[in-house]
Amino acid sequence: MTIPSSNPLTPAPPLPSHQLSVLIGEEELKRRIEELAQEISADLREKDPVIVCVLKGAFVFVADLIRKLDLPVTTEFIRVSSYGNNVVTSGEVKLELDLANSVAGRHLVLVEDIVDTGLTLQYLRANLQARGPASIRVCALLHKPDNNVKLSTIDYVGFNIPSKFVVGYGLDYQGYYRNLPYIAQIQDLQ
Ligand code: 5GP
């Protein structure tokens, strides 16, 4: 049987080829993540915490962060969407994939890739709070303080960055660039 490689009527979109400029390099990320891991380990010792990874953007950060934690942890995954394929938030947060296990009575560390307006974080915090955890701490690799209209409390912030659209290290533009080992700005989008 021959499997057609693509539908000839819908040509594949061109692969992205933007001009990128590095905002936070690999070494800087590594150093800061070690510091965050030390703080989290000190705060949650003996608490048997659950690391809640917010997909998709935080998966690279969480993978590196948990390997630097000096305490036993379990991990859960939750997926929400607010941006679709756009560079500005749609203003509406949707739960797309739920946690696999109950977190009632547990100490949670909610790990986000980036807090921009704070809308997603506000939604996630309320959603998790309703499940009766013992505590919720928030860790965000990146924070855009200028846009944070929801004034969310973030317990652990990796880097405060300017209000520009960034990609890499888990963050995407239209699904691409998550595999970059650094955080970059897309020149032609700013
Ligand atoms: P917020 O609800 O705080 O406005 O946005 C949070 C979510 O929007 C993040 O988890 C992330 O998925 C997405 N986001 C916000 N700013 C950026 C950005 O600069 N680059 C990328 N790739 N995603 C972003």
Side-chain angles (χ1 to χ4, degrees), residues 54 57 82-83 89 93 112-121 144 161 164-167 171-173:
V54 183
S82 63
Y83 274 46
T89 180
V93 183
E112 275 262 35
D113 51 355
I114 185 165
V115 175
D116 184 356
T117 62
L119 196 76
T120 307
L121 178 54
K144 295 180 187 169
I161 62 166
K164 304 277 185 183
F165 193 79
V166 292
V167 294
L171 290 114
D172 76 311
Y173 175 61

Side-chain angles (χ1 to χ4, degrees), residues 64-84:
D64 284 345
L65 181 72
I66 59 173
R67 283 179 290 174
K68 296 290 173 194
L69 292 175
D70 178 27
L71 76 179
V73 292
T74 56
T75 45
E76 286 289 330
F77 298 87
I78 193 164
R79 179 149 60 95
V80 289
S81 72
S82 63
Y83 274 46

Side-chain angles (χ1 to χ4, degrees), residues 18-26 28-29 87 114 141-142 144 159 161-173 176-190:
H18 299 98
Q19 283 282 102
L20 302 177
S21 64
V22 177
L23 189 66
I24 308 168
E26 277 187 79
E28 210 179 342
L29 283 168
V87 295
I114 185 165
L141 178 65
L142 306 173
K144 295 180 187 169
F159 301 89
I161 62 166
S163 191
K164 304 277 185 183
F165 193 79
V166 292
V167 294
Y169 201 71
L171 290 114
D172 76 311
Y173 175 61
Y176 290 96
Y177 300 124
R178 293 192 198 275
N179 57 318
L180 297 178
Y182 48 80
I183 301 285
Q185 276 175 224
I186 300 184
Q187 293 292 15
D188 20 355
L189 276 187
Q190 313 298 330

Side-chain angles (χ1 to χ4, degrees), residues 27-159:
E27 277 308 310
E28 210 179 342
L29 283 168
K30 188 166 172 271
R31 270 198 307 276
R32 185 70 188 118
I33 288 166
E34 279 172 10
E35 289 169 2
L36 291 173
Q38 277 172 19
E39 278 184 60
I40 294 170
S41 300
D43 291 351
L44 288 157
R45 202 159 296 292
E46 313 292 329
K47 292 219 158 98
D48 190 18
V50 183
I51 306 296
V52 180
C53 171
V54 183
L55 296 173
K56 294 178 185 174
F59 81 101
V60 176
F61 175 38
V62 167
D64 284 345
L65 181 72
I66 59 173
R67 283 179 290 174
K68 296 290 173 194
L69 292 175
D70 178 27
L71 76 179
V73 292
T74 56
T75 45
E76 286 289 330
F77 298 87
I78 193 164
R79 179 149 60 95
V80 289
S81 72
S82 63
Y83 274 46
N85 271 343
N86 302 319
V87 295
V88 288
T89 180
S90 64
E92 182 197 347
V93 183
K94 274 196 308 212
L95 180 66
E96 295 188 335
L97 175 83
D98 206 354
L99 306 180
N101 295 293
S102 164
V103 290
R106 304 292 302 275
H107 293 277
L108 310 183
V109 183
L110 179 62
V111 185
E112 275 262 35
D113 51 355
I114 185 165
V115 175
D116 184 356
T117 62
L119 196 76
T120 307
L121 178 54
Q122 190 189 43
Y123 170 88
L124 282 168
R125 201 194 287 273
N127 182 296
L128 292 176
Q129 195 62 58
R131 302 168 197 232
S135 68
I136 303 177
R137 287 174 172 78
V138 176
C139 174
L141 178 65
L142 306 173
H143 179 218
K144 295 180 187 169
D146 297 344
N147 288 4
N148 196 331
V149 292
K150 300 289 167 196
L151 296 176
S152 315
T153 313
I154 309 172
D155 304 271
Y156 312 100
V157 177
F159 301 89

